[in-house]
Structures are given as C-alpha cells and as structure tokens.
C-alpha cells in the first residue's frame, strides 16, 4: 500500500504587505459611509472614521487626478517583491494589479461608454431601494445618516440624469426601453 502526497510550503506573510492591505481597506471605504454601514458593525476598530452621509454622484472628481491616484497605487503595489509574498498575498497582489490596470486602461470617453448609473436592472434606481432596505441601525448616527441619504437622493439622481444626457450626447445613450424601465422604477420608488 502506497500513499502519495504533495508537500506545499507557503512562504511567510510579508508584514509590510499586510500593513499596506490594511491601509488600502481604510482607503477603499473612506468617504463611502453607506458601504461602511453594509460591511462593518463597528468600523472604528479598523481605523475608519465616520464621514458625512452622501450618495455617490456622477461626475464628481477630476478624471486626471483620479487616474493619477490609481497609478500611484499601482506603483506602491509594485514596490513589493512578489516572490517574497506568501501564496495568499501573491493572489491578492495579482487581483489588485489586474483590477487597477483595467481601471487605468479606461479612457475618459470610455467612462461614458461603460458607466451606467441608471439602467434597467443594475442602475442605481434599482440598487438604492435594496441598499436602504439592508441598511443597519446600530447607532443613533446610523438613523441620522439614513435620513441624510433619503434627503440626498434628489441631488444624486439629478447627477445621474445629467451624466446620462451627456452619454447620449456622446452617442452612448440608453435604449428607449431601458429609459422607460428606469422611469418606471423611479416612479415606484
């Protein structure tokens, strides 16, 4: 009777890489209080601070600055010696590297072509009611934030509308049946 086995030795975790990933977690959620509420019960233990409760707006930010920020993240990621990372860290590295490379490959015009704040099933008009239904009330601040999201909805949807109009002006408009579906969903909400 013979048993065959494969011995796989994982390299030790790179502590600096782990620290960088912890910092990236904070950076990802920083400024997005709605996602913070969804993913964390007590976000303060992760070093995430409360920010004002606002819904995401279309067209907020500067494209060139945003792309430079992503390029800086890529440069920082590439500063780690891939071969010295554990297998799990290498996987994380590869996922982030490919994701950020994809993001910087999107031109400003492609952003209008590929980004849909409004859409038949995946638009914000269908996601927001779900996000509000899943919202967690752990603290009094959560209740105040929830009310802020409701109050912010008209301004947020105005930005989505303006973005959608600009998309159409650039030749990337939504089909009429999708627009009809969006309008219907907004009226029901």
């Amino acid at each position: 009777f013979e048993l065959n086995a494969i011995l796989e030795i994982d390299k030790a975790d790179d502590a600096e890489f782990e620290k960088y990933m912890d910092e990236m977690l904070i950076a990802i959620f920083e400024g997005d209080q709605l996602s913070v509420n969804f993913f964390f019960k007590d976000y303060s233990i992760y070093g995430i601070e409360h920010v004002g409760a606002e819904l995401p707006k279309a067209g907020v930010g500067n494209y060139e600055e945003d792309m430079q920020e992503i390029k800086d993240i890529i440069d920082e990621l590439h500063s780690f010696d891939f071969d010295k990372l554990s297998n799990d860290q290498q996987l994380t590295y590869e996922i982030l590297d490919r994701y950020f490379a994809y993001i910087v490959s999107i031109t400003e015009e492609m952003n209008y072509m590929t980004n849909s704040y409004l859409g038949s099933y995946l638009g914000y008009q269908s996601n927001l009611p779900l996000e509000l239904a899943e919202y967690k009330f752990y603290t009094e601040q959560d209740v105040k934030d929830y009310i802020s999201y409701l109050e912010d909805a008209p301004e947020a949807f105005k930005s989505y509308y303006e973005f959608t109009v600009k998309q159409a002006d650039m030749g990337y408009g939504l089909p009429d049946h999708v627009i009809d579906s969006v309008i219907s969903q907004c009226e029901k909400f």
Side-chain angles (χ1 to χ4, degrees):
F1 178 63
E2 183 178 312
L3 283 176
N4 292 322
I6 297 175
L7 175 63
E8 186 176 309
I9 300 174
D10 194 9
K11 297 174 228 72
D13 284 346
D14 182 309
E16 283 300 310
F17 187 78
E18 287 302 312
K19 181 180 174 198
Y20 178 64
M21 289 296 99
D22 290 345
E23 291 167 359
M24 186 173 288
L25 174 77
I26 294 168
I28 287 170
F29 287 102
E30 197 173 57
D32 184 1
Q33 199 64 38
L34 191 59
S35 292
V36 167
N37 177 273
F38 186 79
F39 287 103
F40 302 95
K41 181 175 184 177
D42 182 5
Y43 51 86
S44 65
I45 63 175
Y46 298 95
I48 300 171
E49 295 182 16
H50 182 271
V51 295
E54 285 188 23
L55 296 173
K57 311 285 189 309
V60 174
N62 177 297
Y63 177 81
E64 293 300 324
E65 288 176 14
D66 293 345
M67 287 301 109
Q68 186 57 52
E69 188 176 324
I70 300 295
K71 289 175 186 176
D72 292 345
I73 291 171
I74 293 171
D75 289 344
E76 197 166 355
L77 182 65
H78 289 171
S79 73
F80 292 96
D81 184 345
F82 182 83
D83 293 328
K84 292 184 179 178
L85 301 176
S86 70
N87 291 340
D88 287 345
Q89 289 175 326
Q90 286 179 345
L91 179 61
T92 300
Y93 180 106
E94 287 176 339
I95 290 168
L96 290 173
D97 193 38
R98 289 179 186 171
Y99 172 73
F100 289 128
Y102 167 73
I103 295 296
V104 295
S105 74
I106 297 173
T107 65
E108 190 167 8
E109 184 172 341
M110 286 172 64
N111 182 47
Y112 283 97
M113 190 169 60
T114 61
N115 202 334
S116 293
Y117 291 95
L118 302 174
S120 58
Y121 295 105
L122 298 176
Y124 216 72
Q125 83 289 342
S126 62
N127 289 342
L128 182 59
L130 296 173
E131 290 180 14
L132 293 176
E134 293 297 320
Y135 194 83
K136 311 285 188 296
F137 297 101
Y138 298 119
T139 66
E140 182 179 336
Q141 185 62 54
D142 291 335
V143 175
K144 291 176 181 177
D145 288 350
Y146 188 87
I147 293 168
S148 293
Y149 294 128
L150 295 174
E151 291 171 343
D152 195 34
E155 185 180 336
F157 277 89
K158 181 180 179 194
S159 77
Y160 308 150
Y161 166 76
E162 290 168 353
F163 183 89
T164 303
V165 168
K166 189 166 184 180
Q167 273 182 314
D169 290 346
M170 295 176 79
Y172 308 123
L174 299 171
D176 288 345
H177 72 279
V178 172
I179 292 171
D180 292 341
S181 176
V182 168
I183 291 169
S184 174
Q185 290 173 2
C186 287
E187 287 171 344
K188 288 176 185 173
F189 178 63

